[in-house]
Structure formats: structure tokens, C-alpha cells
Amino acid sequence: MEYFNIIQALCRSALSNPSNATIHQIERLRDAFEKNGLTKEAKSLSGLLSTANSTFDMAPSRIQKSFIKWQGEKITSKTQIPVDKETSTPLAEIFFVEDLPADLPIFSENVKTAIESIVVEWKEFDKLADLNAQPSNTCLIYGSPGTGKTHLAKWLAKQIGLPVVLVRLDGLMSSFLGTTSRNIGNLFSFAAKHQCVLLLDEFDAIAKLRNDPQEVGEIKRVVNTLLQNLDSRKGIGFTIGVTNHESLLDPAIWRRFEVQLEIPRPSPEIMPGILKTFLSPIDLDEVELKFLSWCIEGASGADAQMLAKWFKRAYILDKESNLVSLIRRFALLNSGRIESKRRNIIAHADEELKSSLLNDDKYSFKQKDVALLFGITPSQLSKQLSKLKEIDKI
Ligand SMILES: Nc1ncnc2c1ncn2[C@@H]1O[C@H](COP(=O)(O)OP(=O)(O)OP(=O)(O)O)[C@@H](O)[C@H]1O
Ligand SMILES: [Mg+2]
């Protein structure tokens, strides 16, 4: 059959991350082939479907089967999302499992191990249920902006196989403060009725409002409503709170979360991997990635993503400039993303930048690495450096 290899490739790619809808449509295609005597093609699709079904069974849906016994209705595109009565704006955004990210952000081994332990509890839901136990179902994720917290929360939901009901707490606060408690109540009862992960993003929004002396009484009521609702959700579904300002959270709120997971900014060991992922298909070598990581030390994963995006554009439009001059330009245009001391060093003359790189013990650049970055030979570099030392002596 003409173009079958393209159809097959399309199906294979769709089944690499299968949803019920994808499987159903490919089954329809297989049946249509069969009906029209295209047996070989139908067989080939059956093969693809059975591989996909076996991986699909091992992944989230297996957890979901047990979970369905445990909790409410399925959310569909027809499900009515609660709205703020005053403004009619929806109180939450729904992300279906197929729209959630399949890739975990790049974290250090110990953070990954901690995350894995949460997922394992859910994968072993049946075993725990047999012993009358449940997986941890409240998790507070905190850390600096742009470190991948919201992404991680969505990824966790995908692993569990449940859609996300994402609530931005600041959006929940009605300009008519009196309705905020009602909004919180409506939202929690919606979450209790449905199979979902309740993701409370920007969780600190309520805490921030406490600084407003005019609203003390009302804020107390809002915090109390939140606490009561968190309590009544104990043992139901999975609730994830995400915040950048953990210090603003009330200790009573902290206590409500069984798991408290801090996401650090990427370390110098992790950053090259993050940059490599975001820079793909541009393939920089190890030294170049280490150099870029050094330039943005202390930045977040989101900053690294921004650098990679900028860099890709510059790489395509400006083939003449080398990596060092590109990063100098980036530093000028992104002053908030590069720490000021480092920005100064980057802006310095080549010789000073070279010796700063060589003297940084954390990164241990070798002379041959620095020579490579500046497009010179190691012996040219050592001559330049000894000249610099002589000047220093004068
Ligand atoms: N460690 C990381 N590995 C890969 N990607 C990352 C990492 N950290 C952040 N990102 C990317 O940065 C972007 C922003 O991430 P996300 O929105 O999850 O951050 P956040 O911690 O929730 O930020 P904020 O606190 O500002 O809400 C996403 O595209 C995410 O994939
Ligand atoms: Mg976020």
C-alpha cells in the first residue's frame, strides 16, 4: 500500500506516548485495513498496538485502575469548572493527562531519588491498600523561581495518571475578599468529587495578603478555610502546593503537607545537562557547555532555557561570532539573568576572562579547554598568561 510506511511511522510516534483516544483511533484504522483486505498492514498496526498496550498498562493507567475504586468522577472536556460568582472567571485550569509533560526536569541525583520515592508509593497503591495504608497524598514543593516546580508537579500527576486541576491561589482571591472563602470551598468540593491532582500554585499568595492590616480579620478567615479544606481532603486524591516564598507560609499550613520537597537551583554539575537539552539540536561540546554554565552560575533552569533560546537564534543569524563574543552580547542584553560580578568578568578583556576561568577551582578548566574556547593553541595561551603575570608584577 502506498505511503503505508509514513502511516506506520505516524502511528509509532503517536503510540510512543499513548492515550486512550490515540489507541482507539489506531484500532479503527487497523479494522478498516482488515475490512479492505489489507491484512499485512492490519497485522503491522496490531503489532504496534500490542507493544503500546503493554507499556501503557505498566504506566499510569495501572495506578489509575486502583485509584478509580478510591475516588470520584472522571473529568472530561464537558465537566463544568467552578467559577468566581462575581466575575464569572474559572477558578481552575484543567490539564488532561495527555497534555502533561512526560519528561522530568533535570535534577541532582538526591532530588531525583526523593521524587522517585513519591512515585513508587503511588505505583504500589494496591500493595499499600492491602495493608490499609495509602501513599503520601499531600506534597509541598518549594524553591526559587524558575527551578521547575510547576513542571515537576505536572509530571508527578502524569506519573499517577490523573489530570491536574491547577489553581493559582492569587486568582482565587476575589477582589471581593468575602467571596474568597466561598471560592476555596467550591474548588475543594469540585476536587473532592473528581479524580484529579489538585495543584495549588503560587501558594504564598494568601500569606502575602496578610501584610494588609485592613484585611486582618478576613485573611484569618481565608487561611482558616484553606486549613479546614486541606484537612477535609486528607486521604482523598493528591494535593500539591507550590511556592517560591516558603518563609511566608503559616506553620499550620506547612504541617498539612506530608512531603516537603525543596527544589534547589541547578548546581554546576547539573547545569551543562540542562543547557544541552535546551540547546538541542545545536551540539556544543562539554567544555563549551561548562563555560556557559560558569557564565550563568546561580541561574535557574528557566534562565538556562532562555539563554538556550537566545543562543539558538544568535547561532543561526550570526555564524561569524564565537561562543565568547556571543555570551558577552547575551550578558549585555540579559543583565538580570547573570550575576553582576560574573557579568563584569565576562565584559573584561579576554586575558582577564581567561585567567578567571583558569583560577576557578569549582569548575577546574584546563589550559587546553580555555585555549579551545578562545580559538588559540595552548602554547599561545600560556605565552599570553605569562605576559599578563609580568605586567601584574610591574
Ligand atoms: N531543572 C530543570 N530542568 C529542565 N528544565 C527546567 C528546570 N528548571 C526549570 N526548567 C524549565 O523552566 C521553565 C519554568 O519552569 P517552571 O514553571 O516549572 O518553574 P517554577 O519553579 O514553577 O517557577 P515559578 O516559581 O516562577 O512559578 C519550564 O519550561 C521548565 O521546564
Ligand atoms: Mg511555577
Side-chain angles (χ1 to χ4, degrees):
M1 180 201 175
E2 211 182 357
Y3 302 129
F4 181 69
N5 57 343
I6 301 177
I7 296 176
Q8 198 181 21
L10 258 175
C11 294
R12 189 175 291 120
S13 128
L15 288 171
S16 64
N17 188 11
S19 67
N20 283 325
T22 315
I23 290 179
H24 175 63
Q25 294 307 330
I26 296 176
E27 279 170 347
R28 279 184 62 199
L29 187 61
R30 180 206 47 203
D31 296 345
F33 280 156
E34 203 136 44
K35 209 169 147 199
N36 288 294
L38 296 163
T39 327
K40 210 172 84 200
E41 283 79 356
K43 245 192 182 164
S44 155
L45 291 192
S46 287
L48 289 181
L49 281 163
S50 63
T51 328
N53 271 324
S54 60
T55 41
F56 195 40
D57 273 351
M58 273 163 45
S61 67
R62 200 187 71 76
I63 306 166
Q64 207 168 356
K65 272 178 208 147
S66 324
F67 196 82
I68 285 167
K69 285 185 241 152
W70 195 42
Q71 205 207 12
E73 294 164 35
K74 232 181 170 148
I75 298 180
T76 68
S77 52
K78 295 201 176 79
T79 305
Q80 291 241 320
I81 303 162
V83 294
D84 182 299
K85 293 260 161 40
E86 312 290 345
T87 60
S88 302
T89 43
L91 296 175
E93 198 181 343
I94 308 290
F95 290 85
F96 291 99
V97 176
E98 48 274 27
D99 302 324
L100 295 170
D103 54 322
L104 178 67
I106 301 167
F107 294 133
S108 63
E109 277 311 310
N110 54 354
V111 174
K112 260 199 295 195
T113 312
I115 294 166
E116 191 54 33
S117 71
I118 304 173
V119 176
V120 164
E121 287 186 15
W122 282 90
K123 294 214 161 157
E124 299 298 344
F125 189 97
D126 288 342
K127 257 193 210 162
L128 293 178
D130 287 347
L131 297 168
N132 242 348
Q134 278 171 7
S136 314
N137 72 337
T138 44
C139 175
L140 182 69
I141 302 176
Y142 64 98
S144 313
T147 45
K149 301 179 299 297
T150 304
H151 184 132
L152 165 64
K154 289 182 180 168
W155 178 88
L156 278 170
K158 181 146 186 133
Q159 298 305 300
I160 293 170
L162 290 175
V164 166
V165 173
L166 186 142
V167 187
R168 291 202 178 80
L169 267 268
D170 52 349
L172 205 64
M173 311 246 223
S174 175
S175 43
F176 309 93
L177 258 182
T179 53
T180 302
S181 294
R182 191 170 64 197
N183 283 348
I184 293 176
N186 287 345
L187 207 104
F188 273 81
S189 44
F190 174 83
K193 250 192 259 153
H194 294 91
Q195 294 166 33
C196 66
V197 167
L198 176 60
L199 174 51
L200 303 168
D201 212 353
E202 329 258 329
F203 201 67
D204 40 275
I206 287 185
K208 274 191 209 147
L209 259 189
R210 288 179 141 189
N211 298 334
D212 187 342
Q214 288 186 337
E215 303 289 0
V216 173
E218 186 53 37
I219 298 302
K220 265 196 185 145
R221 261 191 294 283
V222 171
V223 173
N224 279 339
T225 310
L226 189 60
L227 292 175
Q228 278 162 13
N229 278 289
L230 283 172
D231 283 343
S232 63
R233 207 171 146 71
K234 231 180 225 163
I236 309 175
F238 190 19
T239 310
I240 306 180
V242 175
T243 178
N244 288 337
H245 301 281
E246 67 278 9
S247 57
L248 291 181
L249 289 186
D250 196 305
I253 291 186
W254 272 94
R255 275 202 303 278
R256 291 327 192 258
F257 289 94
E258 288 169 89
V259 176
Q260 297 161 353
L261 181 63
E262 179 174 14
I263 303 298
R265 282 171 185 264
S267 65
E269 289 76 35
I270 298 294
M271 192 53 109
I274 298 180
L275 285 168
K276 192 178 171 65
T277 309
F278 287 135
L279 280 166
S280 167
I282 295 176
D283 195 16
L284 297 189
D285 65 32
E286 223 174 280
V287 173
E288 291 171 317
L289 290 170
K290 193 159 86 164
F291 170 64
L292 291 182
S293 305
W294 178 87
C295 291
I296 58 167
E297 184 173 341
S300 66
D303 290 331
Q305 190 175 20
M306 193 62 83
L307 164 66
K309 215 164 138 191
W310 183 91
F311 194 82
K312 269 187 188 172
R313 275 200 306 265
Y315 201 80
I316 295 163
L317 298 177
D318 178 3
K319 292 209 162 38
E320 301 301 310
S321 301
N322 65 9
L323 190 65
V324 177
S325 47
L326 285 181
I327 197 74
R328 281 189 171 128
R329 204 183 313 153
F330 177 82
L332 279 172
L333 295 169
N334 293 268
S335 48
R337 291 195 172 86
I338 299 191
E339 188 262 329
S340 64
K341 256 197 209 155
R342 190 120 315 167
R343 215 170 57 227
N344 277 337
I345 303 176
I346 296 170
H348 278 160
D350 278 4
E351 273 54 45
E352 285 167 76
L353 176 55
K354 285 171 196 160
S355 53
S356 296
L357 289 171
L358 289 167
N359 291 330
D360 195 320
D361 295 338
K362 217 187 296 170
Y363 287 79
S364 53
F365 284 103
K366 300 195 178 64
Q367 290 217 356
K368 71 173 178 21
D369 299 338
V370 176
L372 190 98
L373 286 171
F374 285 83
I376 52 176
T377 64
S379 66
Q380 282 171 320
L381 176 67
S382 68
K383 266 188 216 146
Q384 289 174 358
L385 292 171
S386 37
K387 247 192 212 160
L388 203 67
K389 270 187 201 151
E390 278 166 27
I391 295 171
D392 277 351
K393 274 185 210 157
I394 300 170

